[in-house]
Amino acid sequence: MTIYFLRHASAGKNRSNPKQDEKRPLDKEGIGQCREIGRALAACDTQVEAIVSSPLKRATQTASLVGNEIGFEGSIKIEAALRPDASYEDFREMLRKYSKHESIMVVGHNPNESEFCSMLLTEGEDEEVIDLKKCGVARVEYNGKNYAELTWCITPRLERALQASATDKSRPKTARK
């Protein structure tokens, strides 16, 4: 199974009231990050059978915006196992639930998203191998039991740099005098 670990995009400052913080939406920067990463994933011909998100607003918005960019036509699945307070065991149980799929995208929060990805890659040994930045995505190949391999990781900053480089290369060079 291919798992795309996607951390939610920028959503401004945390709110002191936990209930209000759960409803915190993406900010303008976060919406842009979703479009950039979504376009990068589309360029990689990323196709997923399911997009699974934390129930918090900033995660569901990220899932929806990135899903639109890659042409995902299904409904976003909501799972408590991707909430900020979820355990690795909750996450593993959720993976078992989606094990029939060839590819899924999981959208959540740090530190969990990075920890879950790291622990999957190290068979539960280390929770600090990957540090996903906001709207960063890691592609992991997982056999459903005890083997996982990181195939790539993209951040919005890397995507912007690649786009700028591609734009510079497509510009005609001017003659020097």
Side-chain angles (χ1 to χ4, degrees), residues 49-74:
E49 293 175 61
I51 296 179
V52 187
S53 176
S54 155
L56 279 63
K57 185 169 188 168
R58 56 195 176 271
T60 60
Q61 284 183 305
T62 299
S64 180
L65 290 168
V66 172
N68 285 340
E69 291 290 335
I70 65 171
F72 180 73
E73 294 181 0

PDB file of all heavy atoms in Angstrom, residues 49-74:
ATOM      1  N   GLU A  49      -7.025   6.075  -3.564  1.00  0.00           N
ATOM      2  CA  GLU A  49      -8.362   5.492  -3.474  1.00  0.00           C
ATOM      3  C   GLU A  49      -9.155   6.101  -2.324  1.00  0.00           C
ATOM      4  O   GLU A  49     -10.378   6.062  -2.339  1.00  0.00           O
ATOM      5  CB  GLU A  49      -8.258   3.983  -3.297  1.00  0.00           C
ATOM      6  CG  GLU A  49      -7.687   3.279  -4.503  1.00  0.00           C
ATOM      7  CD  GLU A  49      -7.490   1.810  -4.226  1.00  0.00           C
ATOM      8  OE1 GLU A  49      -8.488   1.115  -3.950  1.00  0.00           O
ATOM      9  OE2 GLU A  49      -6.324   1.376  -4.273  1.00  0.00           O
ATOM     10  N   ALA A  50      -8.438   6.611  -1.327  1.00  0.00           N
ATOM     11  CA  ALA A  50      -9.109   7.223  -0.174  1.00  0.00           C
ATOM     12  C   ALA A  50      -8.253   8.355   0.370  1.00  0.00           C
ATOM     13  O   ALA A  50      -7.024   8.264   0.382  1.00  0.00           O
ATOM     14  CB  ALA A  50      -9.351   6.183   0.918  1.00  0.00           C
ATOM     15  N   ILE A  51      -8.935   9.415   0.792  1.00  0.00           N
ATOM     16  CA  ILE A  51      -8.281  10.480   1.551  1.00  0.00           C
ATOM     17  C   ILE A  51      -8.922  10.440   2.927  1.00  0.00           C
ATOM     18  O   ILE A  51     -10.142  10.525   3.064  1.00  0.00           O
ATOM     19  CB  ILE A  51      -8.450  11.862   0.905  1.00  0.00           C
ATOM     20  CG1 ILE A  51      -7.767  11.898  -0.464  1.00  0.00           C
ATOM     21  CG2 ILE A  51      -7.877  12.947   1.814  1.00  0.00           C
ATOM     22  CD1 ILE A  51      -7.880  13.219  -1.209  1.00  0.00           C
ATOM     23  N   VAL A  52      -8.075  10.263   3.940  1.00  0.00           N
ATOM     24  CA  VAL A  52      -8.527  10.114   5.316  1.00  0.00           C
ATOM     25  C   VAL A  52      -7.971  11.292   6.107  1.00  0.00           C
ATOM     26  O   VAL A  52      -6.774  11.560   6.072  1.00  0.00           O
ATOM     27  CB  VAL A  52      -8.019   8.784   5.913  1.00  0.00           C
ATOM     28  CG1 VAL A  52      -8.619   8.542   7.274  1.00  0.00           C
ATOM     29  CG2 VAL A  52      -8.308   7.611   4.974  1.00  0.00           C
ATOM     30  N   SER A  53      -8.854  11.988   6.822  1.00  0.00           N
ATOM     31  CA  SER A  53      -8.448  13.215   7.508  1.00  0.00           C
ATOM     32  C   SER A  53      -8.833  13.195   8.984  1.00  0.00           C
ATOM     33  O   SER A  53      -9.828  12.595   9.375  1.00  0.00           O
ATOM     34  CB  SER A  53      -9.121  14.411   6.829  1.00  0.00           C
ATOM     35  OG  SER A  53      -8.841  15.615   7.515  1.00  0.00           O
ATOM     36  N   SER A  54      -8.060  13.934   9.749  1.00  0.00           N
ATOM     37  CA  SER A  54      -8.452  14.297  11.107  1.00  0.00           C
ATOM     38  C   SER A  54      -9.748  15.092  10.995  1.00  0.00           C
ATOM     39  O   SER A  54      -9.976  15.769   9.991  1.00  0.00           O
ATOM     40  CB  SER A  54      -7.350  15.170  11.711  1.00  0.00           C
ATOM     41  OG  SER A  54      -7.844  16.001  12.733  1.00  0.00           O
ATOM     42  N   PRO A  55     -10.584  15.078  12.031  1.00  0.00           N
ATOM     43  CA  PRO A  55     -11.821  15.847  11.969  1.00  0.00           C
ATOM     44  C   PRO A  55     -11.633  17.361  12.162  1.00  0.00           C
ATOM     45  O   PRO A  55     -12.578  18.121  11.943  1.00  0.00           O
ATOM     46  CB  PRO A  55     -12.666  15.261  13.098  1.00  0.00           C
ATOM     47  CG  PRO A  55     -11.704  14.630  14.029  1.00  0.00           C
ATOM     48  CD  PRO A  55     -10.525  14.211  13.201  1.00  0.00           C
ATOM     49  N   LEU A  56     -10.442  17.822  12.532  1.00  0.00           N
ATOM     50  CA  LEU A  56     -10.236  19.248  12.755  1.00  0.00           C
ATOM     51  C   LEU A  56     -10.289  20.004  11.430  1.00  0.00           C
ATOM     52  O   LEU A  56      -9.800  19.519  10.399  1.00  0.00           O
ATOM     53  CB  LEU A  56      -8.914  19.499  13.468  1.00  0.00           C
ATOM     54  CG  LEU A  56      -8.958  19.297  14.999  1.00  0.00           C
ATOM     55  CD1 LEU A  56      -9.268  17.886  15.402  1.00  0.00           C
ATOM     56  CD2 LEU A  56      -7.679  19.790  15.631  1.00  0.00           C
ATOM     57  N   LYS A  57     -10.867  21.195  11.465  1.00  0.00           N
ATOM     58  CA  LYS A  57     -11.169  21.963  10.257  1.00  0.00           C
ATOM     59  C   LYS A  57      -9.957  22.174   9.359  1.00  0.00           C
ATOM     60  O   LYS A  57     -10.047  22.027   8.139  1.00  0.00           O
ATOM     61  CB  LYS A  57     -11.803  23.307  10.624  1.00  0.00           C
ATOM     62  CG  LYS A  57     -12.249  24.095   9.417  1.00  0.00           C
ATOM     63  CD  LYS A  57     -13.104  25.271   9.784  1.00  0.00           C
ATOM     64  CE  LYS A  57     -13.676  25.907   8.521  1.00  0.00           C
ATOM     65  NZ  LYS A  57     -14.717  26.867   8.839  1.00  0.00           N
ATOM     66  N   ARG A  58      -8.810  22.543   9.922  1.00  0.00           N
ATOM     67  CA  ARG A  58      -7.645  22.818   9.094  1.00  0.00           C
ATOM     68  C   ARG A  58      -7.168  21.578   8.341  1.00  0.00           C
ATOM     69  O   ARG A  58      -6.662  21.677   7.225  1.00  0.00           O
ATOM     70  CB  ARG A  58      -6.526  23.430   9.920  1.00  0.00           C
ATOM     71  CG  ARG A  58      -6.093  22.619  11.128  1.00  0.00           C
ATOM     72  CD  ARG A  58      -5.242  23.484  12.060  1.00  0.00           C
ATOM     73  NE  ARG A  58      -4.864  22.794  13.276  1.00  0.00           N
ATOM     74  CZ  ARG A  58      -5.582  22.782  14.391  1.00  0.00           C
ATOM     75  NH1 ARG A  58      -6.761  23.403  14.431  1.00  0.00           N
ATOM     76  NH2 ARG A  58      -5.158  22.159  15.468  1.00  0.00           N
ATOM     77  N   ALA A  59      -7.376  20.410   8.924  1.00  0.00           N
ATOM     78  CA  ALA A  59      -7.007  19.163   8.247  1.00  0.00           C
ATOM     79  C   ALA A  59      -8.011  18.823   7.147  1.00  0.00           C
ATOM     80  O   ALA A  59      -7.620  18.445   6.040  1.00  0.00           O
ATOM     81  CB  ALA A  59      -6.901  18.020   9.253  1.00  0.00           C
ATOM     82  N   THR A  60      -9.299  18.957   7.443  1.00  0.00           N
ATOM     83  CA  THR A  60     -10.300  18.631   6.415  1.00  0.00           C
ATOM     84  C   THR A  60     -10.211  19.600   5.242  1.00  0.00           C
ATOM     85  O   THR A  60     -10.400  19.198   4.095  1.00  0.00           O
ATOM     86  CB  THR A  60     -11.735  18.603   6.987  1.00  0.00           C
ATOM     87  OG1 THR A  60     -12.072  19.870   7.532  1.00  0.00           O
ATOM     88  CG2 THR A  60     -11.885  17.508   8.036  1.00  0.00           C
ATOM     89  N   GLN A  61      -9.910  20.873   5.521  1.00  0.00           N
ATOM     90  CA  GLN A  61      -9.732  21.828   4.426  1.00  0.00           C
ATOM     91  C   GLN A  61      -8.521  21.458   3.577  1.00  0.00           C
ATOM     92  O   GLN A  61      -8.579  21.507   2.344  1.00  0.00           O
ATOM     93  CB  GLN A  61      -9.557  23.245   4.965  1.00  0.00           C
ATOM     94  CG  GLN A  61     -10.826  23.888   5.434  1.00  0.00           C
ATOM     95  CD  GLN A  61     -10.564  25.315   5.892  1.00  0.00           C
ATOM     96  OE1 GLN A  61      -9.707  25.566   6.747  1.00  0.00           O
ATOM     97  NE2 GLN A  61     -11.298  26.246   5.311  1.00  0.00           N
ATOM     98  N   THR A  62      -7.426  21.087   4.226  1.00  0.00           N
ATOM     99  CA  THR A  62      -6.226  20.664   3.499  1.00  0.00           C
ATOM    100  C   THR A  62      -6.546  19.453   2.627  1.00  0.00           C
ATOM    101  O   THR A  62      -6.197  19.414   1.445  1.00  0.00           O
ATOM    102  CB  THR A  62      -5.079  20.341   4.482  1.00  0.00           C
ATOM    103  OG1 THR A  62      -4.757  21.516   5.230  1.00  0.00           O
ATOM    104  CG2 THR A  62      -3.844  19.836   3.765  1.00  0.00           C
ATOM    105  N   ALA A  63      -7.222  18.472   3.213  1.00  0.00           N
ATOM    106  CA  ALA A  63      -7.582  17.259   2.475  1.00  0.00           C
ATOM    107  C   ALA A  63      -8.427  17.595   1.250  1.00  0.00           C
ATOM    108  O   ALA A  63      -8.195  17.082   0.152  1.00  0.00           O
ATOM    109  CB  ALA A  63      -8.327  16.287   3.392  1.00  0.00           C
ATOM    110  N   SER A  64      -9.392  18.462   1.425  1.00  0.00           N
ATOM    111  CA  SER A  64     -10.292  18.822   0.343  1.00  0.00           C
ATOM    112  C   SER A  64      -9.573  19.593  -0.772  1.00  0.00           C
ATOM    113  O   SER A  64      -9.735  19.283  -1.960  1.00  0.00           O
ATOM    114  CB  SER A  64     -11.446  19.657   0.894  1.00  0.00           C
ATOM    115  OG  SER A  64     -12.326  20.020  -0.129  1.00  0.00           O
ATOM    116  N   LEU A  65      -8.785  20.597  -0.399  1.00  0.00           N
ATOM    117  CA  LEU A  65      -8.089  21.408  -1.401  1.00  0.00           C
ATOM    118  C   LEU A  65      -7.056  20.588  -2.186  1.00  0.00           C
ATOM    119  O   LEU A  65      -6.984  20.681  -3.413  1.00  0.00           O
ATOM    120  CB  LEU A  65      -7.424  22.617  -0.743  1.00  0.00           C
ATOM    121  CG  LEU A  65      -8.385  23.690  -0.233  1.00  0.00           C
ATOM    122  CD1 LEU A  65      -7.654  24.692   0.661  1.00  0.00           C
ATOM    123  CD2 LEU A  65      -9.069  24.399  -1.394  1.00  0.00           C
ATOM    124  N   VAL A  66      -6.270  19.789  -1.480  1.00  0.00           N
ATOM    125  CA  VAL A  66      -5.276  18.956  -2.165  1.00  0.00           C
ATOM    126  C   VAL A  66      -5.995  17.891  -2.994  1.00  0.00           C
ATOM    127  O   VAL A  66      -5.607  17.612  -4.134  1.00  0.00           O
ATOM    128  CB  VAL A  66      -4.280  18.337  -1.158  1.00  0.00           C
ATOM    129  CG1 VAL A  66      -3.378  17.313  -1.837  1.00  0.00           C
ATOM    130  CG2 VAL A  66      -3.436  19.438  -0.514  1.00  0.00           C
ATOM    131  N   GLY A  67      -7.059  17.308  -2.441  1.00  0.00           N
ATOM    132  CA  GLY A  67      -7.844  16.324  -3.189  1.00  0.00           C
ATOM    133  C   GLY A  67      -8.373  16.894  -4.495  1.00  0.00           C
ATOM    134  O   GLY A  67      -8.322  16.232  -5.540  1.00  0.00           O
ATOM    135  N   ASN A  68      -8.859  18.126  -4.458  1.00  0.00           N
ATOM    136  CA  ASN A  68      -9.343  18.772  -5.682  1.00  0.00           C
ATOM    137  C   ASN A  68      -8.228  18.906  -6.716  1.00  0.00           C
ATOM    138  O   ASN A  68      -8.446  18.666  -7.905  1.00  0.00           O
ATOM    139  CB  ASN A  68      -9.924  20.155  -5.383  1.00  0.00           C
ATOM    140  CG  ASN A  68     -11.282  20.082  -4.743  1.00  0.00           C
ATOM    141  OD1 ASN A  68     -11.989  19.083  -4.823  1.00  0.00           O
ATOM    142  ND2 ASN A  68     -11.663  21.161  -4.075  1.00  0.00           N
ATOM    143  N   GLU A  69      -7.049  19.295  -6.274  1.00  0.00           N
ATOM    144  CA  GLU A  69      -5.925  19.488  -7.194  1.00  0.00           C
ATOM    145  C   GLU A  69      -5.493  18.185  -7.863  1.00  0.00           C
ATOM    146  O   GLU A  69      -5.048  18.205  -9.009  1.00  0.00           O
ATOM    147  CB  GLU A  69      -4.726  20.123  -6.477  1.00  0.00           C
ATOM    148  CG  GLU A  69      -4.941  21.564  -6.053  1.00  0.00           C
ATOM    149  CD  GLU A  69      -5.000  22.553  -7.217  1.00  0.00           C
ATOM    150  OE1 GLU A  69      -4.445  22.283  -8.295  1.00  0.00           O
ATOM    151  OE2 GLU A  69      -5.634  23.607  -7.031  1.00  0.00           O
ATOM    152  N   ILE A  70      -5.610  17.065  -7.159  1.00  0.00           N
ATOM    153  CA  ILE A  70      -5.192  15.782  -7.757  1.00  0.00           C
ATOM    154  C   ILE A  70      -6.353  15.070  -8.450  1.00  0.00           C
ATOM    155  O   ILE A  70      -6.189  13.962  -8.954  1.00  0.00           O
ATOM    156  CB  ILE A  70      -4.508  14.852  -6.729  1.00  0.00           C
ATOM    157  CG1 ILE A  70      -5.466  14.407  -5.621  1.00  0.00           C
ATOM    158  CG2 ILE A  70      -3.245  15.496  -6.166  1.00  0.00           C
ATOM    159  CD1 ILE A  70      -4.904  13.321  -4.709  1.00  0.00           C
ATOM    160  N   GLY A  71      -7.521  15.694  -8.459  1.00  0.00           N
ATOM    161  CA  GLY A  71      -8.664  15.113  -9.154  1.00  0.00           C
ATOM    162  C   GLY A  71      -9.376  14.010  -8.384  1.00  0.00           C
ATOM    163  O   GLY A  71     -10.070  13.183  -8.976  1.00  0.00           O
ATOM    164  N   PHE A  72      -9.246  14.013  -7.070  1.00  0.00           N
ATOM    165  CA  PHE A  72      -9.925  13.014  -6.246  1.00  0.00           C
ATOM    166  C   PHE A  72     -11.418  13.316  -6.239  1.00  0.00           C
ATOM    167  O   PHE A  72     -11.830  14.433  -5.943  1.00  0.00           O
ATOM    168  CB  PHE A  72      -9.362  13.035  -4.820  1.00  0.00           C
ATOM    169  CG  PHE A  72      -9.997  12.041  -3.898  1.00  0.00           C
ATOM    170  CD1 PHE A  72      -9.719  10.695  -4.017  1.00  0.00           C
ATOM    171  CD2 PHE A  72     -10.883  12.445  -2.910  1.00  0.00           C
ATOM    172  CE1 PHE A  72     -10.303   9.766  -3.171  1.00  0.00           C
ATOM    173  CE2 PHE A  72     -11.472  11.541  -2.052  1.00  0.00           C
ATOM    174  CZ  PHE A  72     -11.180  10.190  -2.185  1.00  0.00           C
ATOM    175  N   GLU A  73     -12.225  12.321  -6.562  1.00  0.00           N
ATOM    176  CA  GLU A  73     -13.665  12.535  -6.671  1.00  0.00           C
ATOM    177  C   GLU A  73     -14.471  11.897  -5.542  1.00  0.00           C
ATOM    178  O   GLU A  73     -15.676  12.075  -5.477  1.00  0.00           O
ATOM    179  CB  GLU A  73     -14.162  12.028  -8.022  1.00  0.00           C
ATOM    180  CG  GLU A  73     -13.587  12.841  -9.164  1.00  0.00           C
ATOM    181  CD  GLU A  73     -14.072  12.394 -10.530  1.00  0.00           C
ATOM    182  OE1 GLU A  73     -14.858  11.435 -10.603  1.00  0.00           O
ATOM    183  OE2 GLU A  73     -13.651  13.020 -11.516  1.00  0.00           O
ATOM    184  N   GLY A  74     -13.833  11.177  -4.657  1.00  0.00           N
ATOM    185  CA  GLY A  74     -14.545  10.534  -3.552  1.00  0.00           C
ATOM    186  C   GLY A  74     -14.797  11.500  -2.405  1.00  0.00           C
ATOM    187  O   GLY A  74     -14.453  12.684  -2.474  1.00  0.00           O
TER     188      GLY A  74
END
